[in-house]
Amino acid sequence: MSYPDPCPLPPQRMEELVDALVERGFYVGEAMIDAELCQALHAEVEGRAHQQALARAGIGRGSDFDTREDIRGDAIHWLDRETLAQRRYLDAMGELQQKLNESLFLGLFEYEAHLARYPAGAFYRRHLDSFRGRANRVVSTVGYLNPDWPEDGGGEMVIYAEQDPQRELTRVAPRAGTLVCFLSEQVPHEVLPTRLPRASIAGWFRRNASLGGVVDPAR
C-alpha cells in the first residue's frame, strides 16, 4: 500500500484544532486521518494481536508501574517508525507539533505514541494524562482506526469538565479517521467498556524535562 508524500493533516482542520484547544481545551475532528492510513494501522494492530505481540498496558512509570485490569484493559505497542504506516502517522503528528509550537508557543520537544487494542469488555477508568506541574506531557492525541464502528459498539471516549469531573462534555465514538486532541493536564477522560475489539493510537506531545543535562526519555 502506498500513500501520497507527504501525508499531512488538512491545514484548515489544524487551524480549527488550535482554536478549539484555546477555547475549550479539546478538539474532536472526524475524518481527520487518511482512510488508507487508518486501514494500514488497523491491520498492524490486529496482526500484532494475532501474533501476541502486544504488551499489557499499565499505569505509572518506572518503579510505580503496575498493571491493573480494574483500571485499564488495553494492550499496546510503542511506535518506532518500523513500518511505512507508522512513519506516515508520526510525520503527520510532526506537522501538528510544528503548528502547535508556532501558534501557541508551547515548546513541544517530541511526540511519543503507541498502538492500543482494547479487547471486548475492556475499558480505561477516568484519569488525566498528566498531573499539573509533575510531568511533561502537554497535549494528548487519540487517533481511531476501526472501520464501520456500529452505534452500539461501546468503547466511547468520555470527556469531562475540568472543574466538575462528574459532568460529561462529550462522548466520542471510536470511528476510523477521528482524531481527538486535548490538554493533558486539564481534561479528565475515560474509555467506556467496548463490545468489540477497539483499535487506536494514543500519543503525547512532550516538553523536555531534562535534569542535570540528561534529556528525559520518552515513556
Side-chain angles (χ1 to χ4, degrees):
M1 184 176 295
S2 61
Y3 310 98
D5 190 15
C7 184
L9 300 174
Q12 183 177 355
R13 305 293 297 281
M14 285 202 287
E15 294 287 349
E16 294 174 0
L17 187 157
V18 169
D19 290 343
L21 287 183
V22 172
E23 292 169 5
R24 60 179 180 269
F26 70 92
Y27 171 78
V28 179
E30 296 183 357
M32 188 81 164
I33 307 168
D34 179 81
E36 288 190 20
L37 181 55
C38 287
Q39 181 182 356
L41 289 166
H42 184 258
E44 185 171 333
V45 174
E46 292 303 307
R48 288 187 172 277
H50 180 73
Q51 298 166 11
Q52 297 185 334
L54 295 172
R56 186 176 169 187
I59 58 173
R61 290 191 178 197
S63 61
D64 294 328
F65 179 84
D66 191 14
T67 54
R68 292 278 305 275
E69 289 192 357
D70 59 322
I71 295 177
R72 67 181 296 185
D74 55 322
I76 66 172
H77 174 76
W78 289 95
L79 270 61
D80 53 13
R81 306 187 72 90
E82 64 185 320
T83 66
L84 176 59
Q86 288 189 28
R87 293 193 292 273
R88 292 304 185 197
Y89 188 85
L90 291 172
D91 287 348
M93 292 300 107
E95 292 189 4
L96 179 55
Q97 177 178 322
Q98 181 177 350
K99 178 65 177 177
L100 291 171
N101 280 337
E102 290 176 351
S103 301
L104 303 179
F105 308 102
L106 293 177
L108 303 175
F109 177 73
E110 66 177 352
Y111 180 76
E112 59 176 350
H114 61 59
L115 301 168
R117 185 181 190 271
Y118 287 75
F123 53 85
Y124 195 162
R125 298 294 187 195
R126 186 174 57 208
H127 63 284
L128 289 169
D129 281 358
S130 180
F131 293 102
R132 194 179 299 275
R134 291 179 53 193
N136 60 356
R137 287 177 173 177
V138 180
V139 178
S140 301
T141 65
V142 180
Y144 294 111
L145 306 177
N146 284 89
D148 304 318
W149 191 260
E151 291 294 329
D152 61 351
E156 298 94 343
M157 174 192 282
V158 183
I159 294 178
Y160 295 94
E162 179 184 6
Q163 302 301 329
D164 181 5
Q166 301 299 322
R167 181 166 65 90
E168 291 187 17
L169 297 181
T170 190
R171 292 192 178 196
V172 184
R175 298 189 184 96
T178 297
L179 179 70
V180 182
C181 190
F182 55 92
L183 299 178
S184 305
E185 294 182 337
Q186 298 179 23
V187 178
H189 58 286
E190 72 173 315
V191 177
L192 298 178
T194 182
R195 292 184 56 251
L196 303 169
R198 172 192 187 275
S200 62
I201 295 181
W204 302 270
F205 294 105
R206 306 167 76 245
R207 289 194 183 103
N208 178 23
S210 59
L211 181 64
V214 178
V215 175
D216 175 39
R219 288 170 270 171

